[in-house]
Amino acid sequence: MDTSNSVKKWSMLPSTEARYKEGKISIKRPKPEVPNAEHRRPKCEVPDGELMIPLPPFHQTPGPVSVAQSYLQNLILERWEAEIHACEKEKKLQLLEIAPGTGLTIIQATLQRLVSERWDAEVKRCEEAKRAQLLELLLAAHDVPGSNQGHRTQTDEFLKLPITQNRTKPSFHNNRSFVQKVDKLPHGPAWSCKKVSVQGNRTDENGQSLHEDVELWMRDPVECIKDLIGNPIFKEHMVYAPLRAYKDEAGSQWLIDDMWTADWWWDKQKELPEGATIAPIILASDKMMLSQFRGNKSAWPVYLSIGNIAKEKRHQTSARATVLIGYLPATKLDCFTSDARSLAGYRLFHHCLSLLLEPLISAGEDGVDMVCADSFIRRVYPILATYVADFPEQCLVACCKENHCPKCLVAVNERGDPLNSLMRDPDSTKETLERRRSGQHPIEFDEYGLRAVYKPFWTNLPHTNIFMAFTPDLLHQLHKGVFKDHLVKWCLDIVGEDEIDARFKTIPDYPSLRHFKKGISSIKQWTGTEHKEMQRVFIALITGAVPSESLDGLENALTIFHANKDVLKELTVREHFNIPKLHQLSHYVQSIKLFGAADGFNTELPERLHIDFAKEAYCASNKHDYEEQMALWLQRQEAIFSRTSYLEWVAKRAAETERESFKSFLQKHLPHNRIVPSYQDRFDIFRQVIIILPPNPHVSESPKCLWVRATPEVLPSSSGWKPGSPTRFDMALISSDGVQASKVLLTLDTTVQVAQVRVIFTLPHQFGVYLQPLAYIE
């Protein structure tokens, strides 16, 4: 479909047609800025004004959860933990001043007891105040559930607390200024919205054709890939070229795990220019309900990740290795009659997805220079590799009916037979659809079960075979499909519910295995986790067999099943085996060899991401025109997560730099040391060092003393008895070749450098004997 702003015409049925007209809007309040090159990486500039306090990841709590609530909870915890720490520190200092030595007099013991009681009471008061404020904040979240007004109320109430106004003193005074602070933080690719006007085949009372305006919320997928492949947090989990892994040294046992160990990446690498880096795109989409118990609000999120990141990291939802790139319109299309509505939904889906993925066409053909997580610039070719979806959505993507296989051309009544059917081919499918569009009636159109979608979104995507991209859906096809809906039911019919329950009840408790003490027949609703827990013991419970871990074992098991499945017909358990999910098992081995282990593409991850990227965002809206509010809420969440990740990355990098510098010093000056520095090492720290310079005969015959200070900030005591003091990190002249800096300065040698002294310390004895004091400089 053409993506211009002109009127679009599609042939729906011989007597109907639909028109799609596009417009473009953007997020209101505030208008999102397109991130520049500096905003694409966590290494970002700090906004002007007061620094924002680093925020932790958000966790679901009872009642509405917003950016403000999580941020304010963190403020309360940090404020009172700092107060308690200051009390403990002041208590230790006062006890040390009373009795520096070991022996105690009666007066000293009495004073120590009074001081301990005084500071213990202060600590108890801080604990009670912390609990009271947290309770007040959480109770405020329940006043107006699901309303933005509640979020504003709890923020303003917290900012009016005396401790906030007198002690915390944030740079924002109300909810509006707080949100403005959040909006100043760098965020990922900006959200935009395209309006698509759908004209149906129904008419109103005046004879005018009914139409419906829908919204497509989207982000640039290429920019999202740049964020993922350039994120330094994934540096240790990122791979840029295919690899081969084997279990033995001879290389006879091929090990398939992540995507870079499978065949697809190797095959595509040969089609691209030398030096090209592939970013295998993993797409996932799933239509879901937003409202619970009542209402019909729904959303259709589309997620994106890349196969360069290890699957263990992609599975961590807190790592944000899978990002949301768009919301497809989830509309009922009431402007169409019931017989044309299904086909119109197919065409609308492909049209919107083609708009969403349009930037991938040129990027996949020509490549894009991207800064990777290891700071190298590579020519990256983003190519759609896999599409994770359940069976109905796979048929929707493949433009076929749901009674056909979306991967191969097996006949409708032969899906239960062990056949090696031809795989669907994108070129021949496009040719058949084009012939159908031109008015012809090709036999393949009905034989292959195609739908009249004349411009699928995958038509122009380079190096993409959409039919091979469908990966095994372990959740719906195995756990909830073949196992729960068929295998368990067959066994219950053959053996009997009482016998199966009795066997489950007699299984003894064992670590990591669940004990179904009430059996399984009485449970009406299962989760994916419960299915997997039952699968661990089910086969052994029935036959005592142990499944094989190899792909040959998988094929052999499927062959044995087909060879003996007729016994279920003889026992009148099953009349036929023309089961779509059972047929999908025949494609598992091919998919694993192409893209890696099946657990890397399970639909469990998109199901879990619905909570973070759809349901929580919907709860934070006012339930009216919620798509725009959800996009803005997600943009703010992403900005705070990026800020937090950046601060954690900077702190980790600084700690690693200090550790490596200390290792280099030990290797140079104490080569016989065998102890590796760790974070548990303790150092004696000094507040200042006195440097005695030789006398200058032109000025005075007395030596001159210089004080170099390195003292952190000291907060004032809570009682006001002791004032605080600011940080003092003096500058010093450092000689890089070991010569005294004073002599170098007098001879105007260029080897002297100016540095800031951060810490003055002595070397612990476990590393060896080094009599001179040391300093860490920057």
Side-chain angles (χ1 to χ4, degrees):
M1 177 174 294
D2 189 287
T3 58
S4 64
N5 291 332
S6 59
V7 176
K8 313 297 188 295
K9 293 185 178 181
W10 288 352
S11 176
M12 303 294 294
L13 292 172
S15 60
T16 61
E17 63 178 12
R19 296 182 177 88
Y20 288 75
K21 186 181 296 182
E22 302 162 17
K24 188 172 183 179
I25 63 176
S26 59
I27 294 180
K28 307 172 184 176
R29 202 186 64 254
K31 183 178 180 181
E33 300 177 358
V34 178
N36 52 30
E38 289 77 16
H39 288 178
R40 292 175 185 150
R41 296 177 57 85
K43 189 181 293 184
C44 56
E45 296 293 333
V46 179
D48 295 335
E50 182 179 339
L51 295 179
M52 297 290 288
I53 298 177
L55 307 180
F58 302 109
H59 301 283
Q60 181 71 25
T61 57
V65 175
S66 65
V67 176
Q69 180 184 355
S70 300
Y71 182 79
L72 297 179
Q73 285 179 4
N74 186 63
L75 282 178
I76 293 175
L77 293 174
E78 288 189 349
R79 175 69 261 174
W80 288 112
E81 292 297 335
E83 287 283 342
I84 294 172
H85 179 72
C87 292
E88 296 288 350
K89 185 177 181 180
E90 191 68 23
K91 173 184 174 181
K92 292 180 181 179
L93 291 176
Q94 291 188 13
L95 292 176
L96 186 61
E97 291 176 357
I98 294 173
T102 56
L104 292 178
T105 64
I106 297 178
I107 297 178
Q108 289 175 334
T110 304
L111 290 176
Q112 282 192 348
R113 179 176 58 82
L114 294 175
V115 169
S116 298
E117 291 177 354
R118 191 261 181 195
W119 287 111
D120 290 342
E122 186 71 10
V123 170
K124 184 177 180 180
R125 183 190 66 82
C126 294
E127 291 282 359
E128 293 176 352
K130 179 180 70 174
R131 287 194 294 266
Q133 289 188 6
L134 286 175
L135 180 60
E136 182 180 357
L137 183 62
L138 292 177
L139 288 178
H142 292 269
D143 290 342
V144 265
S147 170
N148 282 334
Q149 181 63 32
H151 300 160
R152 292 192 294 267
T153 301
Q154 59 185 301
T155 307
D156 294 334
E157 288 181 357
F158 177 83
L159 294 174
K160 293 178 182 178
L161 294 175
I163 186 173
T164 307
Q165 296 179 351
N166 301 329
R167 300 294 298 276
T168 306
K169 297 180 180 179
S171 58
F172 45 88
H173 60 281
N174 57 18
N175 181 76
R176 179 179 177 82
S177 57
F178 165 70
V179 171
Q180 289 176 349
K181 278 284 184 180
V182 175
D183 290 334
K184 289 182 180 178
L185 296 175
H187 53 78
W191 285 89
S192 63
C193 178
K194 283 190 176 181
K195 284 190 175 181
V196 180
S197 180
V198 184
Q199 185 168 344
N201 61 344
R202 293 179 57 190
T203 58
D204 56 13
E205 54 188 15
N206 298 324
Q208 300 293 329
S209 297
L210 296 177
H211 72 281
E212 185 175 347
D213 293 332
V214 296
E215 294 180 352
L216 168 64
W217 289 88
M218 54 191 293
R219 298 200 293 177
D220 190 340
V222 176
E223 296 299 324
C224 293
I225 294 173
K226 287 183 179 180
D227 276 350
L228 290 174
I229 203 170
N231 194 335
I233 296 178
F234 303 139
K235 179 180 179 181
E236 303 299 328
H237 309 276
M238 190 80 67
V239 174
Y240 305 99
L243 303 172
R244 286 293 189 193
Y246 299 93
K247 282 188 175 182
D248 56 343
E249 296 183 358
S252 58
Q253 297 182 4
W254 179 23
L255 181 62
I256 303 176
D257 188 18
D258 276 290
M259 183 178 286
W260 55 78
T261 63
D263 285 337
W264 180 90
W265 201 329
W266 285 94
D267 296 338
K268 295 301 175 183
Q269 197 73 47
K270 299 175 183 177
E271 300 176 6
L272 298 178
E274 184 178 356
T277 300
I278 297 178
I281 298 175
I282 304 172
L283 278 186
S285 63
D286 183 30
K287 189 176 182 180
M288 46 89 64
M289 294 297 298
L290 293 174
S291 54
Q292 298 179 354
F293 306 114
R294 62 178 182 176
N296 56 354
K297 302 297 179 61
S298 58
W300 205 329
V302 181
Y303 305 105
L304 179 144
S305 186
I306 53 177
N308 308 82
I309 304 174
K311 60 184 178 67
E312 290 81 8
K313 198 67 176 178
R314 295 201 312 267
H315 289 174
Q316 299 176 8
T317 56
S318 59
R320 302 290 182 99
T322 301
V323 297
L324 177 70
I325 63 171
Y327 286 119
L328 301 179
T331 178
K332 293 184 177 181
L333 294 177
D334 293 329
C335 56
F336 288 91
T337 57
S338 58
D339 57 341
R341 192 171 298 149
S342 175
L343 181 57
Y346 266 65
R347 292 177 172 177
L348 178 62
F349 171 84
H350 281 269
H351 173 62
C352 292
L353 211 53
S354 65
L355 297 177
L356 178 62
L357 303 180
E358 183 180 3
L360 295 178
I361 298 177
S362 59
E365 292 176 348
D366 305 327
V368 180
D369 290 335
M370 298 185 184
V371 180
C372 299
D374 56 359
S375 300
F376 285 93
I377 299 178
R378 294 179 173 88
R379 192 71 173 178
V380 178
Y381 290 77
I383 300 174
L384 177 59
T386 63
Y387 199 110
V388 180
D390 54 16
F391 182 78
E393 201 147 333
Q394 288 182 0
C395 296
L396 174 63
V397 173
C399 305
C400 71
K401 299 177 182 178
E402 293 187 11
N403 61 347
H404 286 70
C405 176
K407 292 179 67 71
C408 69
L409 301 175
V410 63
V412 175
N413 57 351
E414 296 179 349
R415 287 176 295 178
D417 299 330
L419 303 175
N420 293 324
S421 303
L422 293 176
M423 303 300 294
R424 291 182 182 267
D425 181 64
D427 295 332
S428 62
T429 302
K430 288 186 288 186
E431 181 183 356
T432 302
L433 292 174
E434 188 63 30
R435 290 167 58 191
R436 175 75 175 188
R437 183 182 185 182
S438 62
Q440 303 180 28
H441 298 280
I443 301 176
E444 296 83 359
F445 184 85
D446 294 325
E447 183 179 351
Y448 299 162
L450 297 177
R451 303 295 297 268
V453 181
Y454 301 128
K455 287 190 176 181
F457 73 88
W458 39 264
T459 301
N460 298 321
L461 292 179
H463 310 289
T464 297
N465 186 335
I466 194 62
F467 305 114
M468 300 297 294
F470 298 131
T471 54
D473 180 7
L474 300 181
L475 176 62
H476 297 97
Q477 294 174 0
L478 280 184
H479 303 319
K480 293 184 178 181
V482 174
F483 180 74
K484 186 257 182 182
D485 295 338
H486 300 290
L487 181 61
V488 174
K489 184 179 181 300
W490 297 343
C491 293
L492 289 175
D493 293 340
I494 296 174
V495 182
E497 294 183 358
D498 295 337
E499 178 65 21
I500 294 293
D501 289 342
R503 295 194 177 195
F504 271 104
K505 293 176 183 178
T506 56
I507 294 178
D509 293 337
Y510 190 80
S512 74
L513 293 180
R514 178 173 176 176
H515 182 213
F516 294 87
K517 57 183 179 181
K518 295 183 180 180
I520 63 172
S521 61
S522 60
I523 302 178
K524 302 302 181 183
Q525 187 172 0
W526 293 85
T527 63
T529 302
E530 290 172 331
H531 290 150
K532 288 183 285 187
E533 291 172 345
M534 188 165 58
Q535 289 169 18
R536 293 179 180 179
V537 299
F538 193 81
I539 296 181
L541 189 77
I542 300 299
T543 63
V546 179
S548 174
E549 296 181 356
S550 66
L551 295 181
D552 293 336
L554 178 59
E555 289 182 328
N556 293 335
L558 194 59
T559 302
I560 294 173
F561 168 78
H562 284 293
N564 300 274
K565 64 185 179 182
D566 290 338
V567 69
L568 297 176
K569 292 183 179 179
E570 298 174 1
L571 297 174
T572 67
V573 175
R574 186 77 188 180
E575 296 180 358
H576 65 86
F577 295 93
N578 191 23
I579 305 172
K581 295 178 180 178
L582 180 61
H583 168 73
Q584 293 299 316
L585 299 182
S586 62
H587 299 303
Y588 275 25
V589 174
Q590 182 187 37
S591 296
I592 292 173
K593 289 182 178 180
L594 278 177
F595 303 110
D599 62 340
F601 310 98
N602 196 4
T603 53
E604 285 185 270
L605 180 60
E607 296 277 359
R608 171 59 183 84
L609 293 177
H610 288 340
I611 300 176
D612 299 332
F613 293 117
K615 294 183 178 180
E616 288 187 357
Y618 176 74
C619 291
S621 68
N622 61 5
K623 313 301 185 295
H624 300 286
D625 297 328
Y626 51 86
E627 294 91 350
E628 178 183 351
Q629 301 173 52
M630 291 169 63
L632 181 59
W633 186 85
L634 290 171
Q635 179 174 287
R636 289 171 176 169
Q637 293 279 5
E638 186 180 49
I640 292 179
F641 178 81
S642 299
R643 175 68 174 172
T644 306
S645 302
Y646 170 69
L647 294 176
E648 293 175 351
W649 175 75
V650 169
K652 181 179 179 181
R653 186 179 182 185
E656 292 176 351
T657 302
E658 295 173 1
R659 189 178 178 184
E660 292 300 324
S661 300
F662 187 56
K663 284 184 179 180
S664 301
F665 174 83
L666 292 177
Q667 293 175 359
K668 180 178 180 181
H669 298 277
L670 298 171
H672 301 291
N673 172 63
R674 294 294 181 266
I675 299 178
V676 179
S678 66
Y679 297 105
Q680 288 75 29
D681 295 327
R682 294 295 179 263
F683 298 82
D684 293 330
I685 305 299
F686 300 93
R687 293 179 176 272
Q688 64 179 7
V689 62
I690 302 176
I691 301 176
I692 302 177
L693 298 179
N696 187 352
H698 299 285
V699 179
S700 173
E701 296 182 356
S702 302
K704 186 177 181 180
C705 297
L706 298 178
W707 281 264
V708 179
R709 296 164 294 184
T711 59
E713 179 184 8
V714 178
L715 298 175
S717 61
S718 58
S719 60
W721 294 348
K722 291 186 177 181
S725 60
T727 58
R728 293 178 179 175
F729 299 112
D730 291 338
M731 309 299 291
L733 298 177
I734 307 299
S735 176
S736 59
D737 57 0
V739 183
Q740 292 184 7
S742 58
K743 296 182 180 180
V744 175
L745 185 61
L746 292 175
T747 58
L748 300 180
D749 199 318
T750 57
T751 57
V752 68
Q753 297 179 353
V754 180
Q756 187 179 43
V757 181
R758 304 292 294 183
V759 182
I760 303 172
F761 62 97
T762 57
L763 190 68
H765 296 294
Q766 66 264 25
F767 296 109
V769 179
Y770 195 84
L771 302 178
Q772 300 295 331
L774 302 174
Y776 180 77
I777 62 173
E778 291 181 351

